[in-house]
């Protein structure tokens, strides 16, 4: 008997009683919405040939797919997505079926990710696909159904954000950027990293394309964002005007259908390595921290399977929605005074304890917030800022990222060092200009790091940063993770050098080490949960505007 016989793998788990009931209730509601509109159910196998998902490498990151082999040694995969196998099914067994084909599914998908990040490897998905129709009406039908599904799923405020990948794609064809710059720009727009984007685009001067790209990530909202998008792109390219006209028409149609409160546009949407070709949308619900619905138009996917049929669809994350519903119910009945209310009117800021704390509190004070309670906090980790809806939480830097990614905090104040080491999905909207220091490679004074034979050993609190730095130099080094006082490692001959933060340089000097290469500048950033940015837009923008005015 194996020692793992009583546990489940990271990212998976048992679903018990009320969780099953909540999921059942939700899927039944959705089933009614879908079948009432003439959608019929299909199911694709849990195990498919790997080739089904590998027609284009960028659809699904290969490392996230569970792989196994059949008795002939052919590679199989546990279903990582529902739309791709449905494209296979429609192109084969449903070939010749009357168009449009309206179908829905309720099935589990499986993707692996780095352990201990709180992400599920298994997800119950329920979604629809409308295949064989490229009309405006097919988009509005799908979007209206997505709105209805989201409303049925949540009693709390929910919102759908609509974008178009064509905007970014078109602008990038006009920008004479190399591949490295293109991938940086893609990443920075996706992260709404205004400061970083400005730096990368500096080389392109004040060209019209660079000017529009610079403004793209901040362009989200409703009619205001649309008017601003129209203003800055006026006369730029008829293809771009056509996309904006389409989004305008879509917004007005959805308003006519009574969804005006719950729709917003985001012009800074970029293709997230998926199969969407034009319209893309995501649904957000309070207290889930990440999108609970995603969809869009994928007119080219079926051609991978030999059919040329336009299509559009969306899927909901049933586990996430039903867990949020149960959490909300539990909170209503929970009398535990120690637990923190999930009151949606609050804006929660996770602030990195220690070095950044004092400087950020100064920024808040200059921005007009009364922080006397923070200064007299004692050992308290949760502080409400008087006269505001802001709650401040003090946490260790990597935990700030975790709280923001999971949406339990809306905003995080954290160093770029932790951001580059930990990665994650959130918006990085302000460079606060505090906690300024650098990543550097340092060695014992007088030693020649590059001269000696044999492999080099590097100690670091930031093993990912160190690894990618040496990878970029094409140098094969061994990296040892050290938790603190990393300068000790070369002194004790555990390592030849260190990759670490250098602020004043005192620690290095006093321990006989010297910097031989600067790796990158570091400063504190204001990060925002993706879902909060859409659901608490006004409150978050007010805080970032006030802070932005102080740090400028
Ligand atoms: C950081 C860093 C260096 C030191 C650099 O450590 O890892 O050791 O600060 O600062 P300086 O250039 O101003 O001397 P930290 O104080 O966070 O402690 P730790 O090493 O125990 O994590």
């Amino acid at each position: 008997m194996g020692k793992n016989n009583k546990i489940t793998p990271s990212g998976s788990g048992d679903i018990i009683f009320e969780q099953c009931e909540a999921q059942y209730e939700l899927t039944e509601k959705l089933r009614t919405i879908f079948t009432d509109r003439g959608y019929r159910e299909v199911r694709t196998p849990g195990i498919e040939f790997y080739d089904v998902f590998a027609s284009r490498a960028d659809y699904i990151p290969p490392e996230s797919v569970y792989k196994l082999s059949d008795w002939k040694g052919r590679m199989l995969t546990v279903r990582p997505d529902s739309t791709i196998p449905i494209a296979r099914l429609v192109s084969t067994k449903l070939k010749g079926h009357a168009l449009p084909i309206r179908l829905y599914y309720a099935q589990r998908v499986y993707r692996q990710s780095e352990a201990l990040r709180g992400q599920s490897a298994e997800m119950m998905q329920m979604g629809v696909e409308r295949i064989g129709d490229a009309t405006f009406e097919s988009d509005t039908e799908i979007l209206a159904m997505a709105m209805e599904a989201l409303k049925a799923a949540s009693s709390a405020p929910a919102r759908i954000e609509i974008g178009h990948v064509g905007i970014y794609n078109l602008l990038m064809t006009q920008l004479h950027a190399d591949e490295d710059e293109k991938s940086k720009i893609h990443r920075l727009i996706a992260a709404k990293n205004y400061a970083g984007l400005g730096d990368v685009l500096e080389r392109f001067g004040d060209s019209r394309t660079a000017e529009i790209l610079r403004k793209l990530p901040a362009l989200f909202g409703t009619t205001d964002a649309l008017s601003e998008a129209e203003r800055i792109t006026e006369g730029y390219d008829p293809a771009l005007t056509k996309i904006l006209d389409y989004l305008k028409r879509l917004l007005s149609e959805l308003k006519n259908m009574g969804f005006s409160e719950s729709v917003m546009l985001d012009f800074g949407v970029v293709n997230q390595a998926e199969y969407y070709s034009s319209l893309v949308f995501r649904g957000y619900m309070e207290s889930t921290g990440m999108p609970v619905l995603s969809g869009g138009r994928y007119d080219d996917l079926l051609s991978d399977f030999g059919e040329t049929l336009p299509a559009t669809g969306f899927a909901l994350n049933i586990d996430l929605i039903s867990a949020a519903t149960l959490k909300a119910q539990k909170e209503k009945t929970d009398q535990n005074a120690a637990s923190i209310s999930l009151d949606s009117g609050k804006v929660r800021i996770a602030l990195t304890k220690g070095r950044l704390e004092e400087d950020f509190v100064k920024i808040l004070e200059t921005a007009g917030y009364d922080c006397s309670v923070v200064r007299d906090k004692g050992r308290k980790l949760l502080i409400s800022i008087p006269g505001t809806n802001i709650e401040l939480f003090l946490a260790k830097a990597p935990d700030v990222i975790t709280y923001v990614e999971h949406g339990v905090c809306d905003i995080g104040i954290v160093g770029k060092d932790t951001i580059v080491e930990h990665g994650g999905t959130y918006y990085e909207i302000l460079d606060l200009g505090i906690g300024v220091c650098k990543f550097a490679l340092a060695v014992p004074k007088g030693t020649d790091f590059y001269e000696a034979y044999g492999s080099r050993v590097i100690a670091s609190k930031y093993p990912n940063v160190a690894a990618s730095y040496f990878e970029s130099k094409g140098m094969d080094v061994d990296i040892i993770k050290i938790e603190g006082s990393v300068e000790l490692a070369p002194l004790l001959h555990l390592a030849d050098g260190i990759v670490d933060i250098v602020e004043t340089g005192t620690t290095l000097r006093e321990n006989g080490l010297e910097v031989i290469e600067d790796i990158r500048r570091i400063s504190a950033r204001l990060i925002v949960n993706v879902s909060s940015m859409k659901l608490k837009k006004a409150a978050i923008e007010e805080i970032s505007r006030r802070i932005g005015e102080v740090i400028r």
Side-chain angles (χ1 to χ4, degrees):
M1 183 103 33
K3 62 180 169 32
N4 290 330
N5 66 343
K6 287 186 180 167
I7 56 174
T8 61
S10 166
S12 72
D14 303 306
I15 301 174
I16 300 166
F17 303 147
E18 65 272 20
Q19 292 168 314
C20 293
E21 286 144 19
Q23 291 203 1
Y24 178 78
E25 202 181 306
L26 175 58
T27 50
E28 283 310 289
K29 272 190 207 164
L30 296 174
R31 203 179 293 277
T32 308
I33 294 174
F34 300 162
T35 52
D36 281 356
R37 291 184 181 244
Y39 285 71
R40 296 180 64 197
E41 188 169 7
V42 294
R43 255 172 246 164
T44 65
I47 292 173
E48 296 246 9
F49 283 113
Y50 182 75
D51 297 350
V52 173
F53 300 93
S55 53
R56 296 209 201 148
D58 52 0
Y59 285 159
I60 297 173
E63 66 277 11
S64 69
V65 174
Y66 286 97
K67 301 168 197 83
L68 51 156
S69 64
D70 70 3
W71 57 281
K72 283 187 179 170
R74 293 174 297 187
M75 205 189 318
L76 305 176
T77 174
V78 187
R79 182 179 49 228
D81 170 270
S82 293
T83 302
I84 298 175
I86 284 172
R88 172 195 55 70
L89 165 70
V90 169
S91 311
T92 54
K93 288 165 197 150
L94 289 178
K95 202 174 166 71
H97 189 286
L99 300 176
I101 302 172
R102 290 184 173 89
L103 52 87
Y104 78 90
Y105 55 87
Q107 57 191 25
R108 299 200 153 262
V109 293
Y110 300 82
R111 295 213 198 169
Q112 52 184 337
S113 58
E114 231 179 292
L116 304 180
R117 299 215 47 162
Q119 276 160 2
S120 293
E122 185 178 354
M123 188 211 316
M124 177 67 184
Q125 260 192 348
M126 194 157 176
V128 296
E129 314 290 355
R130 193 181 197 277
I131 295 157
D133 187 355
T135 60
F136 179 75
E137 288 65 36
S138 69
D139 290 346
T140 50
E141 177 180 305
I142 283 287
L143 274 167
M145 219 169 23
M147 303 274 181
E148 223 181 294
L150 211 53
K151 272 193 165 177
S154 160
S155 54
R159 196 163 265 183
I160 285 196
E161 142 210 285
I162 299 170
H164 195 296
V165 295
I167 300 175
Y168 167 80
N169 293 344
L170 189 133
L171 288 164
M172 290 312 281
T173 59
Q174 313 281 326
L175 194 79
H176 302 292
D178 60 36
E179 284 312 308
D180 186 40
E181 284 169 328
K182 278 185 184 163
S183 84
K184 268 191 196 150
I185 293 170
H186 185 282
R187 191 165 34 80
L188 293 166
I189 292 182
K192 295 203 187 294
N193 185 335
Y194 311 131
L197 184 65
D199 291 347
V200 177
L201 289 174
E202 214 169 278
R203 179 173 93 68
F204 303 93
D206 44 14
S207 82
R208 190 82 200 279
T209 307
E211 199 186 310
I212 300 172
L213 277 168
R214 243 176 240 126
K215 293 186 174 150
L216 214 53
L219 272 180
F220 62 99
T222 51
T223 39
D224 288 359
L226 183 64
S227 315
E228 179 63 3
E230 284 178 327
R231 194 186 65 75
I232 64 167
T233 60
E234 202 185 338
Y236 176 78
D237 187 318
L240 193 52
T241 311
K242 212 171 150 196
I243 295 176
L244 294 194
D245 287 347
Y246 161 81
L247 290 174
K248 190 176 188 171
R249 197 175 154 208
L250 210 53
L251 191 64
S252 118
E253 186 63 28
L254 292 167
K255 275 190 178 165
N256 292 341
M257 291 175 168
F259 295 118
S260 56
E261 288 303 301
S262 35
V263 193
M264 70 195 293
L265 296 173
D266 189 343
F267 296 93
V269 164
V270 292
N271 209 342
Q272 305 282 351
E274 285 174 8
Y275 30 73
Y276 297 121
S277 50
S278 53
L279 167 74
V280 281
F281 53 93
R282 285 187 184 157
Y284 298 95
M285 222 176 96
E286 236 168 48
S287 82
T288 52
M290 54 186 87
V292 293
L293 178 153
S294 68
R297 178 161 280 287
Y298 52 97
D299 289 345
D300 305 322
L301 178 62
L302 276 91
S303 66
D304 293 353
F305 301 95
E307 279 288 292
T308 44
L309 288 175
T312 179
F314 68 83
L316 293 117
N317 184 332
I318 301 297
D319 298 293
L320 206 55
I321 300 173
S322 49
T325 310
L326 283 178
K327 198 158 115 187
Q329 281 168 5
K330 193 162 175 274
E331 205 215 336
K332 268 191 200 152
T333 51
D334 197 355
Q335 298 304 312
N336 177 4
S339 77
I340 292 163
S341 161
L342 293 171
D343 177 358
S344 60
K346 302 272 186 208
V347 175
R348 288 183 199 93
I349 304 181
L351 168 59
T352 303
K353 285 202 285 192
R355 291 182 187 219
L356 294 182
E357 205 179 311
E358 172 70 23
D359 286 349
F360 183 66
V361 169
K362 271 191 207 144
I363 290 181
L364 281 182
E365 283 174 336
T366 320
Y369 295 102
D370 173 5
C371 292
S372 45
V373 275
V374 188
R375 298 203 173 276
D376 305 331
K377 68 179 189 328
R379 296 286 297 166
K380 264 205 219 147
L381 299 172
L382 156 63
I383 305 130
S384 294
I385 307 283
T388 71
N389 53 357
I390 300 175
E391 286 181 336
L392 214 56
F393 294 80
L394 291 162
K396 287 212 169 210
D399 301 336
V400 166
I401 291 189
T402 306
Y403 291 136
V404 172
E405 254 199 306
H406 285 257
V408 292
C409 287
D410 306 296
I411 293 178
I413 307 300
V414 64
K416 185 72 182 176
D417 52 325
T418 314
I419 291 176
V420 285
E421 177 64 21
H422 288 259
T425 307
Y426 37 80
Y427 296 130
E428 184 186 323
I429 65 169
L430 282 180
D431 180 342
L432 295 167
I434 54 171
V436 178
C437 51
K438 64 183 178 188
F439 268 133
L441 168 63
V443 298
K445 223 171 171 173
T447 57
D448 189 341
F449 180 73
Y450 295 109
E451 195 197 51
Y453 284 112
S455 66
R456 316 274 75 206
V457 179
I458 289 292
S460 186
K461 282 191 282 191
Y462 303 89
N464 295 328
V465 171
S468 71
Y469 172 66
F470 286 106
E471 253 168 55
S472 73
K473 289 170 78 82
M475 253 185 97
D476 189 11
V477 299
D478 292 330
I479 291 162
I480 299 182
K481 166 102 199 269
I482 295 287
E483 297 297 335
S485 303
V486 69
E487 294 82 359
L488 275 177
L491 298 183
L492 295 171
H493 303 290
L494 176 71
D496 301 297
I498 63 172
V499 164
D500 199 20
I501 293 172
V502 179
E503 194 176 347
T504 60
T506 313
T507 319
L508 288 183
R509 252 190 323 276
E510 293 190 359
N511 291 288
L513 302 172
E514 65 179 351
V515 170
I516 55 165
E517 255 167 79
D518 287 349
I519 299 178
R520 66 161 297 155
R521 174 189 177 270
I522 292 165
S523 57
R525 308 298 163 106
L526 187 144
I527 62 170
V528 181
N529 171 268
V530 286
S531 177
S532 305
M533 189 73 147
K534 306 297 152 82
L535 293 169
K536 300 182 182 178
K537 182 174 184 283
I540 289 173
E541 281 186 344
E542 158 78 4
I543 296 168
S544 77
R545 182 190 57 75
R546 284 173 70 172
I547 291 176
E549 279 168 9
V550 172
I551 59 171
R552 216 167 282 142

